[in-house]
Amino acid sequence: GAVVSQHPSRVICKSGTSVKIECRSLDFQATTMFWYRQFPKQSLMLMATSNEGSKATYEQGVEKDKFLINHASLTLSTLTVTSAHPEDSSFYICSAVHSGGADEQFFGPGTRLTVL
Amino acid sequence: AQSVAQPEDQVNVAEGNPLTVKCTYSVSGNPYLFWYVQYPNRGLQFLLKYITGDNLVKGSYGFEAEFNKSQTSFHLKKPSALVSDSALYFCAVRDTHNQGGKLIFGQGTELSVKP
């Protein structure tokens, strides 16, 4: 149990386009999901906290208009990178908190974004 | 502010030898501590956590960690390393001051186990 999926696993796009990444909790409901960004061999940097039915809470320095987050249901949160540029290339990882459990975070497999 | 530090960027161990990956923390109040492992181009996998109770916590894949309050440490250990243990390891503390319990991660330690 407690599986989190991300789609796509890998995406390559042209500069200026927008990319949507989905995070799904497959077998549990998640009131809260987190979005992280990770550069090669570095730690995870929390970008935002996604709360079902309300606006996401962004960390300091993260542009909310650049990284749009929608948490429309208890099993799905989406991150849209708008007008992507090469510096947005990174590994994006989501995690979901089991609503009825011991609030442990379960991580998705990550999405590799490459902006040309 | 709550924080966690992993003082070693890389740890090298011979297969069959014991391994230790170090982690120290700084929190106000009782710490909620976690260890995760990450294989290349993959998400994080949960290894173990300390919330309360016994200081020695046993987790997945034969790993264990010892909570030491006086030294504010939570080192990850395994009695006999495997080549397949080679990966990136992250220590994390849960930010108990914020709703939703976001995790604060250490910088990661790359473990390399050689045959």
Side-chain angles (χ1 to χ4, degrees), chain B:
Chain B
Q2 304 192 85
S3 65
V4 62
Q6 293 176 243
E8 301 157 316
D9 289 337
Q10 184 155 10
V11 170
N12 298 307
V13 177
E15 188 175 31
N17 282 1
L19 70 87
T20 299
V21 183
K22 295 180 180 177
C23 172
T24 58
Y25 65 89
S26 174
V27 301
S28 53
N30 295 321
Y32 288 17
L33 296 160
F34 301 80
W35 274 103
Y36 289 88
V37 60
Q38 184 181 33
Y39 295 97
N41 294 310
R42 306 286 288 275
L44 271 64
Q45 294 180 32
F46 170 79
L47 283 178
L48 50 82
K49 66 181 176 183
Y50 173 83
I51 304 295
T52 186
D54 283 343
N55 290 342
L56 185 63
V57 180
K58 293 190 183 295
S60 307
Y61 313 121
F63 283 94
E64 58 188 30
E66 186 169 8
F67 171 67
N68 188 317
K69 189 172 182 178
S70 62
Q71 297 184 7
T72 61
S73 67
F74 190 56
H75 301 333
L76 181 70
K77 300 183 180 185
K78 187 172 182 180
S80 179
L82 300 172
V83 173
S84 57
D85 292 331
S86 299
L88 194 55
Y89 289 80
F90 290 100
C91 182
V93 62
R94 186 179 149 204
D95 185 349
T96 55
H97 290 168
N98 287 285
Q99 283 190 330
K102 63 184 182 182
L103 292 174
I104 300 167
F105 286 90
Q107 59 267 48
T109 298
E110 188 166 3
L111 173 66
S112 177
V113 182
K114 300 293 187 187

Side-chain angles (χ1 to χ4, degrees), chain A residues 64-78:
Chain A
K64 61 180 181 182
D65 295 330
K66 171 81 174 170
F67 299 99
L68 299 178
I69 292 173
N70 184 15
H71 193 155
S73 77
L74 285 173
T75 59
L76 174 64
S77 175
T78 60

Side-chain angles (χ1 to χ4, degrees), chain A residues 34 36 38 41-44 46 59 91 93 97 102-105 107-109 112, chain B residues 34 36 38 41-44 46 49 88 90 94 100-103 105-107 110:
Chain A
F34 297 93
Y36 297 86
Q38 185 183 31
K41 296 198 174 182
Q42 292 189 28
S43 190
L44 279 70
L46 180 65
E59 295 299 302
F91 195 53
I93 302 175
V97 180
D103 64 65
E104 180 180 328
Q105 287 189 38
F107 286 81
R112 171 76 58 195
Chain B
F34 301 80
Y36 289 88
Q38 184 181 33
N41 294 310
R42 306 286 288 275
L44 271 64
F46 170 79
K49 66 181 176 183
L88 194 55
F90 290 100
R94 186 179 149 204
K102 63 184 182 182
L103 292 174
F105 286 90
Q107 59 267 48
E110 188 166 3

Side-chain angles (χ1 to χ4, degrees), chain A residues 18 58 62-69 79-83:
Chain A
S18 294
Y58 290 82
V62 178
E63 299 175 59
K64 61 180 181 182
D65 295 330
K66 171 81 174 170
F67 299 99
L68 299 178
I69 292 173
L79 168 68
T80 301
V81 183
T82 62
S83 186

